[in-house]
Amino acid sequence: MKFNKNIIYTLLALIVVAALYRILPNRPLGFAPQIAMALFAGSVIKDRKFAFALPLISMFISDALYQSLYSLGLSSIKGFYGGQLTNYILFAGLTVIGFFINKSKAWQIGLGALAGPTVYFLISNFLVWIGGGLDINNLPYPKTSAGLMLAYTEAIPFYSGSMYATVVFCAVFFGGYALLKTGLLKTKTA
């Protein structure tokens, strides 16, 4: 992928739109484009530092927006919180999954769209459980197998939302990219 001005502007717009979408009020739990963005970046962007940067910059922008809204009393969601570095590391890991997706093979994109949210769900909720995270009653999860299952069970609404979002946004990102590559969306110049 050669980087010209149009590609850079498109990637910057994608980062900003994804970041703004993530902070929309009343969106379904977990329904955000960042997992799909990580998979797309890993698959399409050959320069690995840019591939990792795309979802991480989007996450950072949306976290900064959340923090601003929280500071102004307009949101109850903090943008910056303890354990956030772990979240960024997980998103970098999801970008690695994208390295194994052939952007031209729909079955690989579909498999990646299922694997990304599943890997994130399993690892992030295990880390919440092991790290002393709080359940919906603001009590620490018990360090038992039942406590681990509770952590997973309580996160199912987020998992469902992230699964749907990843499938939808992978279709948008990879489909849009395929259309651009085949020239179907190129405007004719006179």
Side-chain angles (χ1 to χ4, degrees):
M1 171 184 240
K2 286 174 64 177
F3 281 99
N4 63 34
K5 281 194 296 188
N6 290 336
I7 291 172
I8 298 214
Y9 293 147
T10 301
L11 292 176
L12 289 174
L14 181 62
I15 288 169
V16 171
V17 168
L20 291 173
Y21 177 83
R22 185 171 168 248
I23 67 162
L24 281 178
N26 302 320
R27 69 176 164 81
L29 293 175
F31 199 90
Q34 275 74 21
I35 293 175
M37 184 182 287
L39 298 172
F40 176 76
S43 176
V44 173
I45 300 173
K46 297 306 170 208
D47 186 327
R48 299 300 191 214
K49 66 180 172 275
F50 289 117
F52 286 111
L54 189 69
L56 296 178
I57 291 171
S58 176
M59 288 289 294
F60 181 79
I61 291 170
S62 60
D63 288 339
L65 290 170
Y66 265 130
Q67 188 63 39
S68 296
L69 293 171
Y70 179 80
S71 297
L72 294 170
L74 300 173
S75 174
S76 61
I77 301 171
K78 288 183 177 181
F80 299 111
Y81 51 87
Q84 192 166 20
L85 179 60
T86 302
N87 205 28
Y88 283 76
I89 291 169
L90 286 173
F91 272 91
L94 296 176
T95 303
V96 173
I97 292 172
F99 296 166
F100 300 99
I101 297 173
N102 181 328
K103 63 187 171 284
S104 303
K105 298 192 185 240
W107 71 270
Q108 286 188 13
I109 296 167
L111 189 60
L114 298 176
T118 302
V119 167
Y120 183 83
F121 170 78
L122 292 172
I123 295 173
S124 66
N125 289 292
F126 177 80
L127 293 172
V128 165
W129 171 74
I130 201 77
L134 304 178
D135 66 13
I136 58 173
N137 298 313
N138 271 346
L139 298 172
Y141 288 107
K143 296 294 189 271
T144 62
S145 59
L148 177 59
M149 290 302 107
L150 179 62
Y152 285 127
T153 302
E154 289 182 346
I156 287 174
F158 292 96
Y159 176 58
S160 308
S162 69
M163 184 68 75
Y164 290 127
T166 305
V167 168
V168 166
F169 287 110
C170 274
V172 169
F173 296 156
F174 284 98
Y177 179 78
L179 289 173
L180 286 170
K181 288 295 280 186
T182 59
L184 294 177
L185 294 181
K186 291 183 180 177
T187 58
K188 292 184 178 183
T189 56

